[in-house]
């Protein structure tokens, strides 16, 4: 049974800022006997791939084949108290992000320096201001958010890593890995442990949000558009969203296009309806468009502007996208800011989710943050305004980067965050074409939420499921699609 190890809640830092040992017990005593491991691993692999936990090969792409998505053999431990706390708060976090996204002055003040030094954020801002000045054609926005958390050993609470407002992925595969872990525990003849695995309806919850937006659009013949990458490696997670929409509502059709195709095939009618290959678009779900490499030319930027000008309900709308930037999240954490958007009691609860977030603006406050990071880089994470994994800067590399930009406005493209110190546990990592390994890992919990409404009228704000990504304790980033982590599910302990 998973519990905190003797050192778990004593975790701290040594004089050099490096975390001291923190451990947490796995759901089962490890290592497993060899004969049990040899029996259960092939069963788990078969269950996973036959239930769709697959991805396309990055190194040798083939549209006719899949490889096993990386996963952990056993569910990983997470404190029940903190899991239930962040689940309960998700509907409030949804509303917070919704209100921030609809506050032009707050976004302008938060991003005015960033857009001078970060060209990608500036291009997004230009789209936002263009549409705002022309007059917004669709007042309804659909939020499909994911808030990511580590359980912090020093503070003994879950602390927020980031809020994702665009392309929040793995709702489908997370639900399938949770089912696989139920199967694995059953095969290991541990049915008494199944009550520690929370139900996970992330796929149904996220797709329910898109269906509600389609209904709100009010055109029975209109379709849902998935904006996808030029080449989709995480195909199972995306396709299962399409299939779930069809399962819930056989009358709704989904089409897939990348930004280049939208630029070639899309147009607006005189009343701002978005038409692609003859189909009217009711809802646009962005699974791409969150990083510069997906905009190859001005054509893709024009495609994004065309979508934003349209009457289609976007997830995210451009103001939701901007609300999810790292700089805005840092500004939200400033004392008193939450009280502008939430009641005092709600603000107090949400503020407890934050770890330290610091501006790197060209100001005395920014200078102090630079000095802190230079003196003790192991305590911090340096974050640019990017999504998709693999972009953050850690450890001694922080000092190297800041040495180059500390006296330049270029530093205003970044924020600084306290590094959260999660507990370490053991689990078996399973990857295609590699032997199973017992490794030390840390886990990051993702909480999904959906919200639909206008600036003044919110139709609903809901918790929509969860996911767990787990990575080796020795690596910094943990994105599964980026090849840096593996799928997992939650084992709750008291």
């Amino acid at each position: 049974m998973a519990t905190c190890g003797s050192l778990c809640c004593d975790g701290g830092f040594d004089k050099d800022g490096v975390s001291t040992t923190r451990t947490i017990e796995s759901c089962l005593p490890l290592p497993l006997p060899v004969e049990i491991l040899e029996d259960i691993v092939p069963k788990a692999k078969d269950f996973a791939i036959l239930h769709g936990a697959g991805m396309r090969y990055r190194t040798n792409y083939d549209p006719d084949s899949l490889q096993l998505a990386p996963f952990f053999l056993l569910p990983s431990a997470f404190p029940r108290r903190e899991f239930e706390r962040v689940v309960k708060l998700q509907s409030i976090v949804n509303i917070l992000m919704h209100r921030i996204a609809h506050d032009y002055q707050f976004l302008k003040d938060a991003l005015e320096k960033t857009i001078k030094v970060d060209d990608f954020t500036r291009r997004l801002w230009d789209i936002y201001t263009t549409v705002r000045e022309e007059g917004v054609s669709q007042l309804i926005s659909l939020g499909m958010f994911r808030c990511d958390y580590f359980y912090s050993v020093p503070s003994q609470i879950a602390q927020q890593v980031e809020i994702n407002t665009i392309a929040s992925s793995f709702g489908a595969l997370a639900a399938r890995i949770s089912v696989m872990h139920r199967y694995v525990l059953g095969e290991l003849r541990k049915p008494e442990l199944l009550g520690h695995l929370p139900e996970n309806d992330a796929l149904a919850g996220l797709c329910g949000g898109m269906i509600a937006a389609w209904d709100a659009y009010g055109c029975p013949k209109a379709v849902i558009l998935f904006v996808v990458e030029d080449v989709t490696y995480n195909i199972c997670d995306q396709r299962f969203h399409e299939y779930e929409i069809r399962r819930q509502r056989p009358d709704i059709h989904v089409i897939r296009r990348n930004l280049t195709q939208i630029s070639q095939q899309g147009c607006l009618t005189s009343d701002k309806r978005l038409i692609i290959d003859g189909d009217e678009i009711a809802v646009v779900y962005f699974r791409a468009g969150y990083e510069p490499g997906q905009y190859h030319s001005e054509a893709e930027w024009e495609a994004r502007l065309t979508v934003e000008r349209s009457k289609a309900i976007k997830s995210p709308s451009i103001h939701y996208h901007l609300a999810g930037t790292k700089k805005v999240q840092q500004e939200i954490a400033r004392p008193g800011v939450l009280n502008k958007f939430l009641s005092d009691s709600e603000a107090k609860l949400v503020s407890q989710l934050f770890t330290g977030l610091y501006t790197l603006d060209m100001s005395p406050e920014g200078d102090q943050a630079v000095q802190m990071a230079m003196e003790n880089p192991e305590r911090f994470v340096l974050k640019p305004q990017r999504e998709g994994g693999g972009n953050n800067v850690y450890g001694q590399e922080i000092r190297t980067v800041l040495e180059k930009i500390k006296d330049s406005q270029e530093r205003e493209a970044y924020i600084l965050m306290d590094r959260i110190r999660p507990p370490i546990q053991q689990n078996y990592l399973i990857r295609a074409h590699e032997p199973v390994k017992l490794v030390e890992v840390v886990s990051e919990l993702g909480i999904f939420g959906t919200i639909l409404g206008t600036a003044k009228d919110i139709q609903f704000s809901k918790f929509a499921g969860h996911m767990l990504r787990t990575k080796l304790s020795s690596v910094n980033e943990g994105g599964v699609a980026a090849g840096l982590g593996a799928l997992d599910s939650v084992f709750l302990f008291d």
Side-chain angles (χ1 to χ4, degrees):
M1 182 68 65
T3 59
C4 281
S6 61
L7 294 175
C8 175
C9 296
D10 296 323
F13 299 92
D14 64 20
K15 61 183 175 61
D16 297 316
V18 180
S19 62
T20 55
T21 303
R22 305 90 60 221
T23 60
I24 196 169
E25 292 181 10
S26 302
C27 65
L28 292 174
L30 299 180
L32 295 175
V34 173
E35 62 274 16
I36 292 178
L37 194 64
E38 290 177 346
D39 177 67
I40 195 61
V41 168
K43 291 179 178 179
K45 285 184 174 181
D46 287 347
F47 192 99
I49 197 69
L50 292 173
H51 285 77
M55 304 178 79
R56 293 253 167 83
Y57 289 84
R58 283 184 174 271
T59 54
N60 188 22
Y61 178 82
D62 181 353
D64 293 330
S65 64
L66 293 172
Q67 71 171 348
L68 189 72
F71 68 90
F72 284 92
L73 179 64
L74 301 170
S76 291
F78 199 91
R80 183 188 304 273
R81 178 198 67 198
E82 291 305 297
F83 177 85
E84 293 176 348
R85 182 172 73 97
V86 295
V87 165
K88 185 177 180 180
L89 286 176
Q90 184 59 43
S91 63
I92 300 175
V93 174
N94 295 341
I95 292 170
L96 169 66
M97 299 307 295
H98 179 84
R99 290 173 178 167
I100 286 170
H102 286 90
D103 190 324
Y104 167 77
Q105 193 60 50
F106 181 81
L107 291 178
K108 181 176 181 294
D109 292 344
L111 293 171
E112 63 179 351
K113 294 181 179 179
T114 303
I115 61 178
K116 293 177 181 178
V117 292
D118 187 284
D119 187 62
F120 182 67
T121 307
R122 180 187 62 80
R123 295 299 301 263
L124 297 176
W125 180 260
D126 287 347
I127 291 174
Y128 172 50
T129 54
T130 297
V131 172
R132 188 172 184 271
E133 289 167 1
E134 291 177 351
V136 177
S137 300
Q138 178 56 262
L139 298 178
I140 299 173
S141 292
L142 170 64
M144 298 169 63
F145 305 147
R146 194 188 73 221
C147 296
D148 294 336
Y149 301 92
F150 278 127
Y151 178 73
S152 167
V153 169
S155 64
Q156 299 183 48
I157 59 172
Q159 292 187 313
Q160 192 175 88
V161 177
E162 64 180 352
I163 303 174
N164 300 278
T165 62
I166 183 169
S168 300
S169 59
F170 288 111
L173 295 193
R176 277 162 170 73
I177 293 298
S178 181
V179 174
M180 184 214 69
H181 280 149
R182 290 180 177 275
Y183 166 77
V184 166
L185 290 180
E187 287 298 297
L188 292 174
R189 303 189 184 188
K190 296 291 183 180
E192 68 276 11
L193 298 182
L194 297 179
H196 293 266
L197 276 61
E199 294 293 332
N200 191 2
D201 295 322
L203 180 62
L206 294 169
C207 292
M210 285 188 272
I211 290 169
W214 185 89
D215 285 334
Y217 187 81
C219 178
K221 293 183 178 180
V223 305
I224 296 176
L225 167 67
F226 283 22
V227 180
V228 298
E229 313 95 323
D230 298 341
V231 178
T232 299
Y233 300 103
N234 191 15
I235 189 66
C236 292
D237 191 65
Q238 289 188 18
R239 287 292 190 185
F240 280 129
H241 284 76
E242 295 180 45
Y243 306 155
E244 177 64 15
I245 290 170
R246 182 62 57 85
R247 185 192 72 80
Q248 292 188 34
R249 289 288 295 273
D251 54 322
I252 300 177
H253 192 74
V254 174
I255 65 173
R256 296 165 57 87
R257 298 289 189 278
N258 60 38
L259 287 167
T260 306
Q261 291 169 326
I262 294 171
S263 74
Q264 298 165 344
Q265 304 165 10
C267 64
L268 296 181
T269 64
S270 59
D271 60 350
K272 298 297 182 69
R273 290 177 295 121
L274 177 61
I275 308 296
I276 295 181
D277 277 352
D279 284 317
E280 181 174 351
I281 308 301
V283 178
V284 181
Y285 172 40
F286 283 95
R287 286 295 294 249
Y290 54 82
E291 59 100 2
Q294 293 162 348
Y295 298 82
H296 310 302
S297 67
E298 287 302 309
E300 287 75 25
W301 283 109
E302 282 297 319
R304 180 71 187 268
L305 178 58
T306 297
V307 171
E308 294 300 334
R309 281 173 161 155
S310 76
K311 283 186 175 179
I313 298 172
K314 277 76 70 176
S315 180
S317 56
I318 191 67
H319 44 297
Y320 271 3
H321 191 168
L322 289 166
T325 57
K326 303 299 188 293
K327 180 60 181 175
V328 169
Q329 293 177 35
Q330 177 256 308
E331 292 294 325
I332 296 170
R334 286 186 179 276
V337 171
L338 287 174
N339 300 82
K340 180 179 179 180
F341 300 101
L342 301 172
S343 69
D344 288 348
S345 59
E346 291 171 335
K348 182 178 180 181
L349 292 172
V350 173
S351 69
Q352 294 168 0
L353 299 174
F354 299 152
T355 188
L357 292 158
Y358 312 97
T359 182
L360 294 180
D361 290 352
M362 301 297 289
S363 66
E365 185 182 6
D367 292 342
Q368 183 178 4
V370 169
Q371 183 178 353
M372 283 195 311
M374 295 279 284
E375 290 177 351
N376 211 333
E378 296 295 338
R379 284 184 175 269
F380 301 100
V381 181
L382 187 63
K383 293 184 150 190
Q385 314 301 312
R386 295 290 180 271
E387 303 296 337
N391 299 301
N392 295 335
V393 182
Y394 298 85
Q396 293 302 316
E397 190 181 353
I398 293 177
R399 185 176 287 153
T400 302
V401 171
L402 288 180
E403 281 284 3
K404 296 177 181 178
I405 65 173
K406 64 180 181 178
D407 298 319
S408 164
Q409 286 186 323
E410 187 180 349
R411 80 188 201 191
E412 295 181 336
Y414 295 82
I415 68 163
L416 191 69
M417 187 183 86
D418 284 343
R419 189 165 186 174
I420 305 169
R421 301 292 176 174
I424 294 170
Q425 56 190 301
Q426 289 188 314
N427 208 330
Y428 286 100
L429 176 60
I430 297 178
R431 288 186 177 276
H433 313 303
E434 294 183 13
V436 62
K437 300 175 185 176
L438 181 61
V439 292
E440 291 190 333
V441 298
V442 295
S443 296
E444 183 175 350
L445 175 68
I447 301 295
F448 293 103
T450 57
I451 186 168
L452 183 70
T454 66
K456 296 181 179 179
D457 180 27
I458 295 175
Q459 296 185 28
F460 63 77
S461 177
K462 300 177 181 178
F463 161 70
H466 66 275
M467 67 165 289
L468 197 71
R469 288 174 299 172
T470 296
K471 63 181 181 179
L472 300 181
S473 61
S474 58
V475 302
N476 289 319
E477 297 271 15
V480 178
L484 302 168
L487 297 167
D488 203 348
S489 73
V490 172
F491 184 92
L492 299 177
F493 71 93
D494 296 308

